[in-house]
Amino acid sequence: MRVLVVGSGAREHAIVHALRRSPEVSEVFAAPGNPGIAQAADLLPVAVDNIPALAEAAADLRIDLTVVGPELPLALGIGDEFSKRGLCLFGPTSVAAQLESSKVFAKDFCHRHEIATPQAMCVDTEEQAREAAKKFGFPVVLKADGLAAGKGVLIPSDQEELDEALETFFGRRSFGEAGTKVLVEEFVVGTEVSFMAISDGVNALPLATSRDYKRIGEGDSGPNTGGMGAHSPAMGLPKGLGRTIMDTVITPVIQGMAAEGREYRGVLYAGLMLTEDGPKVLEFNCRFGDPETQVVLLRLEGSFAALVKSAADGQLAPGGLSWRREVVACVVAAAYGYPGLPRKGDDITGIEEAMAQPAVTVYHAGTRMEGDRLLTSGGRVLSVCGRGPNLEAALETAYRGLGTINFDGKTFRRDIGADTLAQEE
Ligand code: GLY
């Protein structure tokens, strides 16, 4: 099987790595990829939003399966274009990807299909937003309707922060077109859980559970990021939760989308809050989580290529997936300044030494080559993963790997998994 992976982050590096371990796969291409991915795939210099060029490349290279990492090409219709040309792609069409690309669509969809979600109001002026915020009280959640590179959610906890948030949305128009409509949502309390499932449009299979750490600072402080670390399994979740989420969220979504003529094939990522009244949907993503994918795929037994190809073909085999019993932990090394304006161009050393350690895997994200120098080139630079018989060992391995890697301004959290370990005691 000849496969193409679209994207250039650590998630896509993990996807390439999983495809390389799949016995059916003969050739792997990535567009545009990164220096780490280049060690396992042939890179194509095509941007993720250049849909015609990606389709052209897939046709020219006789690609049997394309796997899409980020949400942007899905929202732009890569699924539609590939389907029109008879090319096999794992990922939803643009109308199905609206579950992520329009928060208003997703909220209305939940209401139509009686999927539990926090109360919200859709507004398009500052005055309406103030009224809605008054109704829900502080803290209150404000979400840009469209895609905002993971930055479109603000949670003001007092009047001053609300004024600043409204200035961001309606004064400075910081989210552009994506912020024309805004969801003002009640803040719900509980444990946050990410849940991913693979669907062929009719059936869905859950992936292993994982826990990610979204804030930049230790003790879950500071601004949200794309994710600073993760571990799989999630651990400490109530027994039977996976079944409950499949029955009350994933299956109703897949059935509801099919009933609305928006068949959902691909990975469905539900961001959930486990409240006293059960799981409530905070958001959907139409793609694999990052860094959740890095930890989950290292635990997958069997062929990732066969799994996603069967889903893309609408023929997911029934029965569950098998997972290694070991734990995988991931610590993200970010650039100085992340998640604001990350500094670029710092020399990175020590990756080979890290990879030489047992049970360590390093995935590249914001890296680039300049001659024979490896430099930082983005916010999240590397995902360093460690495997172990338990979380403590997996974390120890990941942090030991990270310890050999150096670049100026290396920013990471020292407390990934610490809350889970404390719960276990
Ligand atoms: N780690 C969060 C996300 O992928 O959206």
Side-chain angles (χ1 to χ4, degrees), residues 103-177:
K103 306 288 174 268
V104 174
F105 171 82
K107 186 64 71 178
D108 291 343
F109 176 87
C110 285
H111 291 153
R112 285 198 293 280
H113 297 279
E114 296 179 358
I115 298 165
T117 184
Q119 288 184 61
M121 291 168 76
C122 174
V123 303
D124 52 21
T125 67
E126 184 176 333
E127 290 66 39
Q128 290 171 353
R130 281 190 192 284
E131 277 304 304
K134 203 185 289 175
K135 173 176 167 209
F136 294 127
F138 291 118
V140 64
V141 184
L142 274 68
K143 293 180 179 173
D145 174 47
L147 296 181
K151 298 191 174 134
V153 180
L154 299 177
I155 310 181
S157 51
D158 58 29
Q159 193 59 44
E160 197 181 328
E161 287 180 11
L162 177 65
D163 290 344
E164 176 53 31
L166 294 179
E167 179 58 22
T168 304
F169 277 100
F170 297 103
R172 290 194 289 278
R173 294 266 169 209
S174 300
F175 303 115
E177 193 59 18

Side-chain angles (χ1 to χ4, degrees), residues 274-289:
L274 305 184
T275 71
E276 282 181 350
D277 304 327
K280 291 192 177 181
V281 173
L282 301 181
E283 62 168 5
F284 291 116
N285 292 318
C286 60
R287 44 139 183 106
F288 288 103

Side-chain angles (χ1 to χ4, degrees), residues 11 100 194 212-214 225-229 269 283 285 287-292 380:
R11 167 184 52 203
E100 176 167 2
S194 314
D212 81 326
Y213 292 81
K214 289 205 176 75
T225 69
M228 292 301 290
Y269 171 132
E283 62 168 5
N285 292 318
R287 44 139 183 106
F288 288 103
D290 183 350
E292 294 94 323
R380 289 188 290 173

